[in-house]
Amino acid sequence: DIQLTQSPSFLSASVGDRVTITCRASQGISSSLAWYQQKPGKAPNLLIYAASTLQSGVPSRFSGSGSGTEFTLTVSSLQPEDFATYYCQQRKSYPITFGQGTRLEIK
Amino acid sequence: EVQLVESGGGLVQPGGSLRLSCAASGFICSDHHMDWVRQAPGKGLEWVARIRRRANSDSTEYVAAVKGRFTISRDDSSNSLYLQMNSLISDDTAVYYCARVSPALDYYLDNWGQGTLVTVSS
């Protein structure tokens, strides 16, 4: 199975900050990676797919990059509604796997 | 509008069975791969199962932890997805989400239901 390791697991930041979350894969997955945002009590929401393609309707302050084994999700200027948990997910091979999550909280 | 509505969750004893349903609207289920993803209380997301679209012969995939115990299926007449769960154990306690896999979005999960809670406990 392909393991995805996110860092950090917990991040405290302020409105307006630029933050970056990293997702490392245990083996190369080319660009077969997505990022999801989940708020408490809600289903996940697709933000970015194919490592760097922004899903329709997602604000442009979100961006993704990377390929192979290292990927990043960047939020250029945090807004109050961005405080949530973020997960990466690979679809290169079965079983599909998710990272353990990064919880982003308000400082 | 695409909508997915799960039902069928509840409290079940270890060793018991439960069948989850996911009613889809706004799109044709059989034209898409469909997934079940679960989330144990306070934990992260775990992919559980996939049924591919009719064009791919409805073939299925499972995570090892549920293989042989869970069965994913689809009913085209009701445009619904199902997850038959047998031999349930405490580790199966989770919110179960159904999700649509979008070929237009490179086969990622673009729409999710609200989830249904399954609790396995005596």
Side-chain angles (χ1 to χ4, degrees), chain A residues 89 91 94 96, chain B residues 33-36 47-53 58-63 72 81 100-102 107-109:
Chain A
Q89 174 239 322
R91 69 152 191 79
Y94 292 102
I96 290 165
Chain B
H33 301 352
M34 296 292 296
D35 284 3
W36 286 98
W47 175 83
V48 173
R50 171 169 291 178
I51 185 166
R52 295 184 179 88
R53 56 188 174 181
D58 301 335
S59 55
T60 58
E61 301 282 351
Y62 298 91
V63 70
I72 188 172
L81 178 72
R100 187 181 79 164
V101 181
S102 175
Y107 294 92
Y108 293 96
L109 284 61

PDB file of all heavy atoms in Angstrom, chain A residues 89 91 94 96, chain B residues 33-36 47-53 58-63 72 81 100-102 107-109:
ATOM      1  N   GLN A  89      -4.789  12.695  -0.828  1.00  0.00           N
ATOM      2  CA  GLN A  89      -5.298  11.381  -1.244  1.00  0.00           C
ATOM      3  C   GLN A  89      -4.626  10.978  -2.546  1.00  0.00           C
ATOM      4  O   GLN A  89      -4.537  11.785  -3.474  1.00  0.00           O
ATOM      5  CB  GLN A  89      -6.813  11.427  -1.446  1.00  0.00           C
ATOM      6  CG  GLN A  89      -7.415  10.152  -2.023  1.00  0.00           C
ATOM      7  CD  GLN A  89      -8.143  10.350  -3.335  1.00  0.00           C
ATOM      8  OE1 GLN A  89      -8.816  11.358  -3.548  1.00  0.00           O
ATOM      9  NE2 GLN A  89      -8.032   9.387  -4.243  1.00  0.00           N
ATOM     10  N   ARG A  91      -4.455   8.280  -5.886  1.00  0.00           N
ATOM     11  CA  ARG A  91      -5.254   7.331  -6.652  1.00  0.00           C
ATOM     12  C   ARG A  91      -4.360   6.550  -7.635  1.00  0.00           C
ATOM     13  O   ARG A  91      -4.848   5.982  -8.587  1.00  0.00           O
ATOM     14  CB  ARG A  91      -6.368   8.051  -7.408  1.00  0.00           C
ATOM     15  CG  ARG A  91      -5.914   8.939  -8.552  1.00  0.00           C
ATOM     16  CD  ARG A  91      -7.027   9.001  -9.585  1.00  0.00           C
ATOM     17  NE  ARG A  91      -6.629   9.594 -10.834  1.00  0.00           N
ATOM     18  CZ  ARG A  91      -5.938   8.969 -11.777  1.00  0.00           C
ATOM     19  NH1 ARG A  91      -5.519   7.729 -11.599  1.00  0.00           N
ATOM     20  NH2 ARG A  91      -5.647   9.569 -12.896  1.00  0.00           N
ATOM     21  N   TYR A  94      -4.426   0.866  -5.934  1.00  0.00           N
ATOM     22  CA  TYR A  94      -5.310   0.409  -4.866  1.00  0.00           C
ATOM     23  C   TYR A  94      -4.483  -0.282  -3.775  1.00  0.00           C
ATOM     24  O   TYR A  94      -3.504  -0.950  -4.074  1.00  0.00           O
ATOM     25  CB  TYR A  94      -6.356  -0.555  -5.432  1.00  0.00           C
ATOM     26  CG  TYR A  94      -7.342   0.104  -6.346  1.00  0.00           C
ATOM     27  CD1 TYR A  94      -7.234  -0.030  -7.726  1.00  0.00           C
ATOM     28  CD2 TYR A  94      -8.381   0.892  -5.841  1.00  0.00           C
ATOM     29  CE1 TYR A  94      -8.129   0.590  -8.573  1.00  0.00           C
ATOM     30  CE2 TYR A  94      -9.282   1.509  -6.686  1.00  0.00           C
ATOM     31  CZ  TYR A  94      -9.153   1.354  -8.049  1.00  0.00           C
ATOM     32  OH  TYR A  94     -10.043   1.980  -8.896  1.00  0.00           O
ATOM     33  N   ILE A  96      -6.776   2.918  -2.526  1.00  0.00           N
ATOM     34  CA  ILE A  96      -6.694   4.366  -2.435  1.00  0.00           C
ATOM     35  C   ILE A  96      -6.403   4.720  -0.971  1.00  0.00           C
ATOM     36  O   ILE A  96      -6.953   4.097  -0.059  1.00  0.00           O
ATOM     37  CB  ILE A  96      -8.015   4.985  -2.900  1.00  0.00           C
ATOM     38  CG1 ILE A  96      -8.151   4.787  -4.411  1.00  0.00           C
ATOM     39  CG2 ILE A  96      -8.103   6.449  -2.511  1.00  0.00           C
ATOM     40  CD1 ILE A  96      -9.526   5.029  -4.942  1.00  0.00           C
TER      41      ILE A  96
ATOM     42  N   HIS B  33     -17.814   5.711 -11.475  1.00  0.00           N
ATOM     43  CA  HIS B  33     -17.327   4.911 -10.362  1.00  0.00           C
ATOM     44  C   HIS B  33     -17.923   5.548  -9.101  1.00  0.00           C
ATOM     45  O   HIS B  33     -18.104   6.778  -9.031  1.00  0.00           O
ATOM     46  CB  HIS B  33     -15.814   4.972 -10.244  1.00  0.00           C
ATOM     47  CG  HIS B  33     -15.040   4.492 -11.444  1.00  0.00           C
ATOM     48  ND1 HIS B  33     -15.610   3.869 -12.537  1.00  0.00           N
ATOM     49  CD2 HIS B  33     -13.714   4.544 -11.713  1.00  0.00           C
ATOM     50  CE1 HIS B  33     -14.670   3.573 -13.419  1.00  0.00           C
ATOM     51  NE2 HIS B  33     -13.502   3.981 -12.952  1.00  0.00           N
ATOM     52  N   MET B  34     -18.180   4.699  -8.088  1.00  0.00           N
ATOM     53  CA  MET B  34     -18.713   5.193  -6.824  1.00  0.00           C
ATOM     54  C   MET B  34     -17.924   4.562  -5.676  1.00  0.00           C
ATOM     55  O   MET B  34     -17.572   3.372  -5.743  1.00  0.00           O
ATOM     56  CB  MET B  34     -20.188   4.848  -6.672  1.00  0.00           C
ATOM     57  CG  MET B  34     -21.102   5.501  -7.704  1.00  0.00           C
ATOM     58  SD  MET B  34     -21.243   7.286  -7.527  1.00  0.00           S
ATOM     59  CE  MET B  34     -22.034   7.433  -5.930  1.00  0.00           C
ATOM     60  N   ASP B  35     -17.676   5.337  -4.642  1.00  0.00           N
ATOM     61  CA  ASP B  35     -16.866   4.890  -3.504  1.00  0.00           C
ATOM     62  C   ASP B  35     -17.633   4.974  -2.195  1.00  0.00           C
ATOM     63  O   ASP B  35     -18.546   5.791  -2.039  1.00  0.00           O
ATOM     64  CB  ASP B  35     -15.624   5.781  -3.359  1.00  0.00           C
ATOM     65  CG  ASP B  35     -14.544   5.492  -4.384  1.00  0.00           C
ATOM     66  OD1 ASP B  35     -14.748   4.632  -5.266  1.00  0.00           O
ATOM     67  OD2 ASP B  35     -13.485   6.150  -4.307  1.00  0.00           O
ATOM     68  N   TRP B  36     -17.174   4.169  -1.249  1.00  0.00           N
ATOM     69  CA  TRP B  36     -17.498   4.351   0.162  1.00  0.00           C
ATOM     70  C   TRP B  36     -16.186   4.709   0.881  1.00  0.00           C
ATOM     71  O   TRP B  36     -15.162   4.065   0.660  1.00  0.00           O
ATOM     72  CB  TRP B  36     -18.095   3.089   0.780  1.00  0.00           C
ATOM     73  CG  TRP B  36     -19.504   2.819   0.361  1.00  0.00           C
ATOM     74  CD1 TRP B  36     -19.928   1.965  -0.619  1.00  0.00           C
ATOM     75  CD2 TRP B  36     -20.694   3.398   0.911  1.00  0.00           C
ATOM     76  NE1 TRP B  36     -21.302   1.981  -0.714  1.00  0.00           N
ATOM     77  CE2 TRP B  36     -21.801   2.855   0.211  1.00  0.00           C
ATOM     78  CE3 TRP B  36     -20.949   4.323   1.935  1.00  0.00           C
ATOM     79  CZ2 TRP B  36     -23.132   3.193   0.505  1.00  0.00           C
ATOM     80  CZ3 TRP B  36     -22.264   4.669   2.220  1.00  0.00           C
ATOM     81  CH2 TRP B  36     -23.337   4.115   1.518  1.00  0.00           C
ATOM     82  N   TRP B  47     -10.488   5.082   2.844  1.00  0.00           N
ATOM     83  CA  TRP B  47     -11.216   4.564   1.695  1.00  0.00           C
ATOM     84  C   TRP B  47     -11.585   3.112   1.946  1.00  0.00           C
ATOM     85  O   TRP B  47     -10.753   2.338   2.448  1.00  0.00           O
ATOM     86  CB  TRP B  47     -10.344   4.693   0.449  1.00  0.00           C
ATOM     87  CG  TRP B  47     -10.944   4.094  -0.777  1.00  0.00           C
ATOM     88  CD1 TRP B  47     -11.849   4.674  -1.613  1.00  0.00           C
ATOM     89  CD2 TRP B  47     -10.679   2.801  -1.311  1.00  0.00           C
ATOM     90  NE1 TRP B  47     -12.158   3.818  -2.640  1.00  0.00           N
ATOM     91  CE2 TRP B  47     -11.457   2.663  -2.478  1.00  0.00           C
ATOM     92  CE3 TRP B  47      -9.860   1.737  -0.913  1.00  0.00           C
ATOM     93  CZ2 TRP B  47     -11.437   1.506  -3.250  1.00  0.00           C
ATOM     94  CZ3 TRP B  47      -9.837   0.584  -1.673  1.00  0.00           C
ATOM     95  CH2 TRP B  47     -10.628   0.475  -2.835  1.00  0.00           C
ATOM     96  N   VAL B  48     -12.824   2.722   1.600  1.00  0.00           N
ATOM     97  CA  VAL B  48     -13.328   1.394   1.924  1.00  0.00           C
ATOM     98  C   VAL B  48     -13.518   0.536   0.663  1.00  0.00           C
ATOM     99  O   VAL B  48     -13.065  -0.609   0.615  1.00  0.00           O
ATOM    100  CB  VAL B  48     -14.664   1.495   2.683  1.00  0.00           C
ATOM    101  CG1 VAL B  48     -15.297   0.123   2.880  1.00  0.00           C
ATOM    102  CG2 VAL B  48     -14.456   2.187   4.029  1.00  0.00           C
ATOM    103  N   ALA B  49     -14.219   1.086  -0.329  1.00  0.00           N
ATOM    104  CA  ALA B  49     -14.580   0.252  -1.478  1.00  0.00           C
ATOM    105  C   ALA B  49     -14.933   1.118  -2.671  1.00  0.00           C
ATOM    106  O   ALA B  49     -15.312   2.281  -2.529  1.00  0.00           O
ATOM    107  CB  ALA B  49     -15.760  -0.655  -1.135  1.00  0.00           C
ATOM    108  N   ARG B  50     -14.827   0.526  -3.834  1.00  0.00           N
ATOM    109  CA  ARG B  50     -15.201   1.170  -5.099  1.00  0.00           C
ATOM    110  C   ARG B  50     -15.933   0.169  -5.983  1.00  0.00           C
ATOM    111  O   ARG B  50     -15.541  -0.992  -6.070  1.00  0.00           O
ATOM    112  CB  ARG B  50     -13.982   1.698  -5.833  1.00  0.00           C
ATOM    113  CG  ARG B  50     -14.261   2.186  -7.274  1.00  0.00           C
ATOM    114  CD  ARG B  50     -13.093   2.930  -7.854  1.00  0.00           C
ATOM    115  NE  ARG B  50     -12.926   4.221  -7.172  1.00  0.00           N
ATOM    116  CZ  ARG B  50     -11.947   5.092  -7.447  1.00  0.00           C
ATOM    117  NH1 ARG B  50     -11.064   4.810  -8.390  1.00  0.00           N
ATOM    118  NH2 ARG B  50     -11.866   6.220  -6.783  1.00  0.00           N
ATOM    119  N   ILE B  51     -16.959   0.662  -6.663  1.00  0.00           N
ATOM    120  CA  ILE B  51     -17.578  -0.065  -7.763  1.00  0.00           C
ATOM    121  C   ILE B  51     -17.405   0.790  -9.006  1.00  0.00           C
ATOM    122  O   ILE B  51     -17.727   1.973  -9.015  1.00  0.00           O
ATOM    123  CB  ILE B  51     -19.062  -0.412  -7.487  1.00  0.00           C
ATOM    124  CG1 ILE B  51     -19.621  -1.268  -8.623  1.00  0.00           C
ATOM    125  CG2 ILE B  51     -19.905   0.840  -7.263  1.00  0.00           C
ATOM    126  CD1 ILE B  51     -20.954  -1.944  -8.277  1.00  0.00           C
ATOM    127  N   ARG B  52     -16.851   0.188 -10.031  1.00  0.00           N
ATOM    128  CA  ARG B  52     -16.616   0.947 -11.250  1.00  0.00           C
ATOM    129  C   ARG B  52     -17.917   1.102 -12.040  1.00  0.00           C
ATOM    130  O   ARG B  52     -18.889   0.387 -11.827  1.00  0.00           O
ATOM    131  CB  ARG B  52     -15.528   0.279 -12.093  1.00  0.00           C
ATOM    132  CG  ARG B  52     -14.154   0.288 -11.407  1.00  0.00           C
ATOM    133  CD  ARG B  52     -13.085  -0.301 -12.306  1.00  0.00           C
ATOM    134  NE  ARG B  52     -11.774  -0.272 -11.679  1.00  0.00           N
ATOM    135  CZ  ARG B  52     -11.293  -1.233 -10.882  1.00  0.00           C
ATOM    136  NH1 ARG B  52     -12.051  -2.285 -10.610  1.00  0.00           N
ATOM    137  NH2 ARG B  52     -10.093  -1.131 -10.372  1.00  0.00           N
ATOM    138  N   ARG B  53     -17.913   2.004 -12.987  1.00  0.00           N
ATOM    139  CA  ARG B  53     -19.105   2.273 -13.784  1.00  0.00           C
ATOM    140  C   ARG B  53     -19.447   1.079 -14.659  1.00  0.00           C
ATOM    141  O   ARG B  53     -18.638   0.173 -14.843  1.00  0.00           O
ATOM    142  CB  ARG B  53     -18.884   3.522 -14.649  1.00  0.00           C
ATOM    143  CG  ARG B  53     -17.677   3.437 -15.549  1.00  0.00           C
ATOM    144  CD  ARG B  53     -17.391   4.757 -16.218  1.00  0.00           C
ATOM    145  NE  ARG B  53     -16.149   4.703 -16.978  1.00  0.00           N
ATOM    146  CZ  ARG B  53     -15.640   5.716 -17.651  1.00  0.00           C
ATOM    147  NH1 ARG B  53     -16.273   6.895 -17.670  1.00  0.00           N
ATOM    148  NH2 ARG B  53     -14.512   5.594 -18.299  1.00  0.00           N
ATOM    149  N   ASP B  58     -18.745  -2.946 -13.839  1.00  0.00           N
ATOM    150  CA  ASP B  58     -19.124  -2.940 -12.420  1.00  0.00           C
ATOM    151  C   ASP B  58     -18.095  -3.649 -11.533  1.00  0.00           C
ATOM    152  O   ASP B  58     -18.451  -4.171 -10.467  1.00  0.00           O
ATOM    153  CB  ASP B  58     -20.491  -3.598 -12.203  1.00  0.00           C
ATOM    154  CG  ASP B  58     -21.606  -2.904 -12.968  1.00  0.00           C
ATOM    155  OD1 ASP B  58     -21.454  -1.703 -13.253  1.00  0.00           O
ATOM    156  OD2 ASP B  58     -22.609  -3.556 -13.276  1.00  0.00           O
ATOM    157  N   SER B  59     -16.866  -3.681 -11.933  1.00  0.00           N
ATOM    158  CA  SER B  59     -15.862  -4.366 -11.120  1.00  0.00           C
ATOM    159  C   SER B  59     -15.637  -3.605  -9.820  1.00  0.00           C
ATOM    160  O   SER B  59     -15.942  -2.420  -9.710  1.00  0.00           O
ATOM    161  CB  SER B  59     -14.554  -4.517 -11.890  1.00  0.00           C
ATOM    162  OG  SER B  59     -14.104  -3.258 -12.341  1.00  0.00           O
ATOM    163  N   THR B  60     -15.126  -4.306  -8.828  1.00  0.00           N
ATOM    164  CA  THR B  60     -15.027  -3.740  -7.484  1.00  0.00           C
ATOM    165  C   THR B  60     -13.606  -3.840  -6.921  1.00  0.00           C
ATOM    166  O   THR B  60     -12.796  -4.661  -7.350  1.00  0.00           O
ATOM    167  CB  THR B  60     -15.989  -4.456  -6.518  1.00  0.00           C
ATOM    168  OG1 THR B  60     -15.667  -5.852  -6.501  1.00  0.00           O
ATOM    169  CG2 THR B  60     -17.433  -4.270  -6.949  1.00  0.00           C
ATOM    170  N   GLU B  61     -13.336  -2.956  -5.951  1.00  0.00           N
ATOM    171  CA  GLU B  61     -12.081  -2.956  -5.206  1.00  0.00           C
ATOM    172  C   GLU B  61     -12.415  -2.711  -3.740  1.00  0.00           C
ATOM    173  O   GLU B  61     -13.365  -1.986  -3.432  1.00  0.00           O
ATOM    174  CB  GLU B  61     -11.137  -1.844  -5.694  1.00  0.00           C
ATOM    175  CG  GLU B  61     -10.767  -1.911  -7.162  1.00  0.00           C
ATOM    176  CD  GLU B  61      -9.721  -2.938  -7.481  1.00  0.00           C
ATOM    177  OE1 GLU B  61      -9.128  -3.517  -6.545  1.00  0.00           O
ATOM    178  OE2 GLU B  61      -9.485  -3.168  -8.700  1.00  0.00           O
ATOM    179  N   TYR B  62     -11.598  -3.273  -2.843  1.00  0.00           N
ATOM    180  CA  TYR B  62     -11.815  -3.123  -1.403  1.00  0.00           C
ATOM    181  C   TYR B  62     -10.479  -2.891  -0.691  1.00  0.00           C
ATOM    182  O   TYR B  62      -9.435  -3.397  -1.124  1.00  0.00           O
ATOM    183  CB  TYR B  62     -12.460  -4.379  -0.817  1.00  0.00           C
ATOM    184  CG  TYR B  62     -13.823  -4.701  -1.369  1.00  0.00           C
ATOM    185  CD1 TYR B  62     -13.969  -5.527  -2.472  1.00  0.00           C
ATOM    186  CD2 TYR B  62     -14.979  -4.174  -0.778  1.00  0.00           C
ATOM    187  CE1 TYR B  62     -15.215  -5.819  -2.989  1.00  0.00           C
ATOM    188  CE2 TYR B  62     -16.236  -4.463  -1.287  1.00  0.00           C
ATOM    189  CZ  TYR B  62     -16.345  -5.284  -2.390  1.00  0.00           C
ATOM    190  OH  TYR B  62     -17.593  -5.566  -2.900  1.00  0.00           O
ATOM    191  N   VAL B  63     -10.564  -2.194   0.421  1.00  0.00           N
ATOM    192  CA  VAL B  63      -9.400  -2.140   1.310  1.00  0.00           C
ATOM    193  C   VAL B  63      -9.290  -3.494   2.008  1.00  0.00           C
ATOM    194  O   VAL B  63     -10.314  -4.170   2.245  1.00  0.00           O
ATOM    195  CB  VAL B  63      -9.543  -0.977   2.323  1.00  0.00           C
ATOM    196  CG1 VAL B  63     -10.645  -1.256   3.344  1.00  0.00           C
ATOM    197  CG2 VAL B  63      -8.224  -0.682   3.000  1.00  0.00           C
ATOM    198  N   ILE B  72     -19.851  -4.060  -1.986  1.00  0.00           N
ATOM    199  CA  ILE B  72     -20.393  -2.846  -2.594  1.00  0.00           C
ATOM    200  C   ILE B  72     -21.210  -3.251  -3.822  1.00  0.00           C
ATOM    201  O   ILE B  72     -20.825  -4.154  -4.568  1.00  0.00           O
ATOM    202  CB  ILE B  72     -19.269  -1.851  -2.967  1.00  0.00           C
ATOM    203  CG1 ILE B  72     -19.850  -0.513  -3.429  1.00  0.00           C
ATOM    204  CG2 ILE B  72     -18.312  -2.444  -3.991  1.00  0.00           C
ATOM    205  CD1 ILE B  72     -18.787   0.578  -3.622  1.00  0.00           C
ATOM    206  N   LEU B  81     -26.581   3.322  -4.453  1.00  0.00           N
ATOM    207  CA  LEU B  81     -25.367   2.574  -4.116  1.00  0.00           C
ATOM    208  C   LEU B  81     -25.596   1.909  -2.771  1.00  0.00           C
ATOM    209  O   LEU B  81     -26.315   2.452  -1.910  1.00  0.00           O
ATOM    210  CB  LEU B  81     -24.200   3.547  -4.029  1.00  0.00           C
ATOM    211  CG  LEU B  81     -22.817   3.007  -3.650  1.00  0.00           C
ATOM    212  CD1 LEU B  81     -22.234   2.193  -4.802  1.00  0.00           C
ATOM    213  CD2 LEU B  81     -21.888   4.163  -3.270  1.00  0.00           C
ATOM    214  N   ARG B 100     -19.016  10.258  -5.218  1.00  0.00           N
ATOM    215  CA  ARG B 100     -18.957  10.062  -6.650  1.00  0.00           C
ATOM    216  C   ARG B 100     -17.529  10.277  -7.133  1.00  0.00           C
ATOM    217  O   ARG B 100     -16.846  11.216  -6.698  1.00  0.00           O
ATOM    218  CB  ARG B 100     -19.887  11.049  -7.355  1.00  0.00           C
ATOM    219  CG  ARG B 100     -20.017  10.818  -8.851  1.00  0.00           C
ATOM    220  CD  ARG B 100     -20.909  11.828  -9.508  1.00  0.00           C
ATOM    221  NE  ARG B 100     -20.257  13.103  -9.742  1.00  0.00           N
ATOM    222  CZ  ARG B 100     -20.735  14.036 -10.567  1.00  0.00           C
ATOM    223  NH1 ARG B 100     -21.873  13.815 -11.214  1.00  0.00           N
ATOM    224  NH2 ARG B 100     -20.088  15.185 -10.722  1.00  0.00           N
ATOM    225  N   VAL B 101     -17.094   9.432  -8.035  1.00  0.00           N
ATOM    226  CA  VAL B 101     -15.774   9.563  -8.651  1.00  0.00           C
ATOM    227  C   VAL B 101     -15.981  10.179 -10.027  1.00  0.00           C
ATOM    228  O   VAL B 101     -16.754   9.660 -10.837  1.00  0.00           O
ATOM    229  CB  VAL B 101     -15.080   8.195  -8.774  1.00  0.00           C
ATOM    230  CG1 VAL B 101     -13.697   8.357  -9.391  1.00  0.00           C
ATOM    231  CG2 VAL B 101     -14.997   7.521  -7.402  1.00  0.00           C
ATOM    232  N   SER B 102     -15.305  11.276 -10.280  1.00  0.00           N
ATOM    233  CA  SER B 102     -15.560  12.010 -11.510  1.00  0.00           C
ATOM    234  C   SER B 102     -14.498  11.751 -12.576  1.00  0.00           C
ATOM    235  O   SER B 102     -13.341  12.133 -12.385  1.00  0.00           O
ATOM    236  CB  SER B 102     -15.617  13.510 -11.221  1.00  0.00           C
ATOM    237  OG  SER B 102     -15.741  14.237 -12.434  1.00  0.00           O
ATOM    238  N   TYR B 107     -10.758  11.286 -12.067  1.00  0.00           N
ATOM    239  CA  TYR B 107     -11.127  10.176 -11.175  1.00  0.00           C
ATOM    240  C   TYR B 107     -10.834  10.468  -9.702  1.00  0.00           C
ATOM    241  O   TYR B 107     -10.343   9.618  -8.964  1.00  0.00           O
ATOM    242  CB  TYR B 107     -10.480   8.865 -11.622  1.00  0.00           C
ATOM    243  CG  TYR B 107     -11.000   8.409 -12.953  1.00  0.00           C
ATOM    244  CD1 TYR B 107     -10.347   8.768 -14.132  1.00  0.00           C
ATOM    245  CD2 TYR B 107     -12.196   7.683 -13.047  1.00  0.00           C
ATOM    246  CE1 TYR B 107     -10.859   8.383 -15.372  1.00  0.00           C
ATOM    247  CE2 TYR B 107     -12.706   7.299 -14.279  1.00  0.00           C
ATOM    248  CZ  TYR B 107     -12.023   7.658 -15.427  1.00  0.00           C
ATOM    249  OH  TYR B 107     -12.517   7.293 -16.651  1.00  0.00           O
ATOM    250  N   TYR B 108     -11.205  11.683  -9.286  1.00  0.00           N
ATOM    251  CA  TYR B 108     -11.180  12.028  -7.870  1.00  0.00           C
ATOM    252  C   TYR B 108     -12.612  12.186  -7.380  1.00  0.00           C
ATOM    253  O   TYR B 108     -13.554  12.209  -8.156  1.00  0.00           O
ATOM    254  CB  TYR B 108     -10.349  13.302  -7.645  1.00  0.00           C
ATOM    255  CG  TYR B 108      -8.882  13.075  -7.941  1.00  0.00           C
ATOM    256  CD1 TYR B 108      -8.356  13.410  -9.186  1.00  0.00           C
ATOM    257  CD2 TYR B 108      -8.049  12.477  -6.999  1.00  0.00           C
ATOM    258  CE1 TYR B 108      -7.025  13.160  -9.477  1.00  0.00           C
ATOM    259  CE2 TYR B 108      -6.714  12.231  -7.286  1.00  0.00           C
ATOM    260  CZ  TYR B 108      -6.215  12.567  -8.526  1.00  0.00           C
ATOM    261  OH  TYR B 108      -4.896  12.306  -8.815  1.00  0.00           O
ATOM    262  N   LEU B 109     -12.758  12.271  -6.050  1.00  0.00           N
ATOM    263  CA  LEU B 109     -14.076  12.240  -5.437  1.00  0.00           C
ATOM    264  C   LEU B 109     -14.649  13.657  -5.379  1.00  0.00           C
ATOM    265  O   LEU B 109     -14.279  14.445  -4.507  1.00  0.00           O
ATOM    266  CB  LEU B 109     -13.982  11.631  -4.036  1.00  0.00           C
ATOM    267  CG  LEU B 109     -13.817  10.113  -3.944  1.00  0.00           C
ATOM    268  CD1 LEU B 109     -12.545   9.632  -4.617  1.00  0.00           C
ATOM    269  CD2 LEU B 109     -13.840   9.660  -2.492  1.00  0.00           C
TER     270      LEU B 109
END
